[in-house]
Amino acid sequence: KYYNKITHKVLENSFDALSKIKEDISINISSLDIDKNSTRDRILELLYGCGKDASRVTLELLEDEDVHDIETLKAFIKEVKSLGVKIAIDDFGSGYSNFSYLMEMKPDFIKIDGSIIKHIDTDKNSLLITQMISEFAKKLDIETIAEFIHNEAVYQKARELGVDEFQGF
């Protein structure tokens, strides 16, 4: 019963921080947040309220098999992108994410899930999946971010595969 209140507080704190710092921020949200009118409206209100600083915001869409209204989600993404907001698909490659989701959402970034990345130096399947995601993303002009870079070998493999950015090591 507190989820919505907590989400709104996190959003408000994030936009408050944005007004006080020069760095960009990323905020994780789920499709369930966007489905909820009050949360969707609050996000838009905060984005419109911060003016040109909206371009320093990246919304990371959490993977969710419960996308109830794809048209609402697409309209929301279109509106926030018109304000300069960037969209990332978080944890891509785990659970329910798929390539048609990428084509629907037209994100700016794909964050390749750490469960795939962490073994690209030792596991052929992880390597091939990362390579496929990276090549597909490049063809769609989407930047890739590798999560869970935990050592030099994994970092070097991710670089060799053309991953654009790295989280971790």
Side-chain angles (χ1 to χ4, degrees):
K1 81 181 190 183
Y2 295 109
Y3 178 83
N4 209 32
K5 289 179 183 181
I6 293 169
T7 299
H8 284 238
K9 191 65 174 167
V10 167
L11 290 167
E12 289 158 11
N13 288 346
S14 298
F15 281 88
D16 183 50
L18 180 69
S19 70
K20 296 175 182 174
I21 62 174
K22 294 179 183 176
E23 292 79 18
D24 295 355
I25 65 168
S26 292
I27 304 169
N28 286 32
I29 59 173
S30 74
S31 61
L32 297 176
D33 293 327
I34 297 167
D35 277 347
K36 190 173 277 293
N37 289 335
S38 63
T39 303
R40 185 177 63 248
D41 292 346
R42 186 66 181 135
I43 294 168
L44 291 170
E45 179 183 328
L46 290 164
L47 286 169
Y48 279 106
C50 72
K52 63 181 169 93
D53 285 334
S55 65
R56 297 183 15 222
V57 175
T58 298
L59 295 177
E60 295 188 21
L61 299 177
L62 301 172
E63 178 175 60
D64 191 345
E65 81 263 31
D66 290 328
V67 176
H68 293 113
D69 186 351
I70 192 76
E71 294 307 317
T72 296
L73 183 59
K74 285 168 52 175
F76 174 80
I77 289 171
K78 183 178 180 180
E79 184 169 0
V80 299
K81 284 185 104 177
S82 76
L83 299 172
V85 173
K86 293 172 269 326
I87 299 294
I89 304 297
D90 198 16
D91 299 331
F92 187 80
S94 68
Y96 300 92
S97 60
N98 62 55
F99 290 99
S100 64
Y101 188 64
L102 288 182
M103 293 186 301
E104 291 280 342
M105 298 305 110
K106 298 180 175 100
D108 300 286
F109 306 99
I110 297 170
K111 295 180 75 175
I112 306 170
D113 190 66
S115 65
I116 296 168
I117 294 295
K118 69 181 176 182
H119 298 296
I120 62 172
D121 61 328
T122 59
D123 179 65
K124 182 180 177 181
N125 290 332
S126 293
L127 180 81
L128 290 171
I129 290 168
T130 302
Q131 181 180 27
M132 180 184 64
I133 292 169
S134 179
E135 289 174 0
F136 184 78
K138 290 217 180 319
K139 289 179 181 182
L140 292 177
D141 199 29
I142 300 170
E143 287 188 47
T144 50
I145 302 168
E147 299 179 331
F148 205 82
I149 301 291
H150 62 284
N151 63 37
E152 180 73 26
V154 170
Y155 170 70
Q156 290 301 330
K157 279 291 183 195
R159 283 190 63 199
E160 289 171 21
L161 295 172
V163 173
D164 299 299
E165 297 182 35
F166 314 91
Q167 284 185 325
F169 177 81

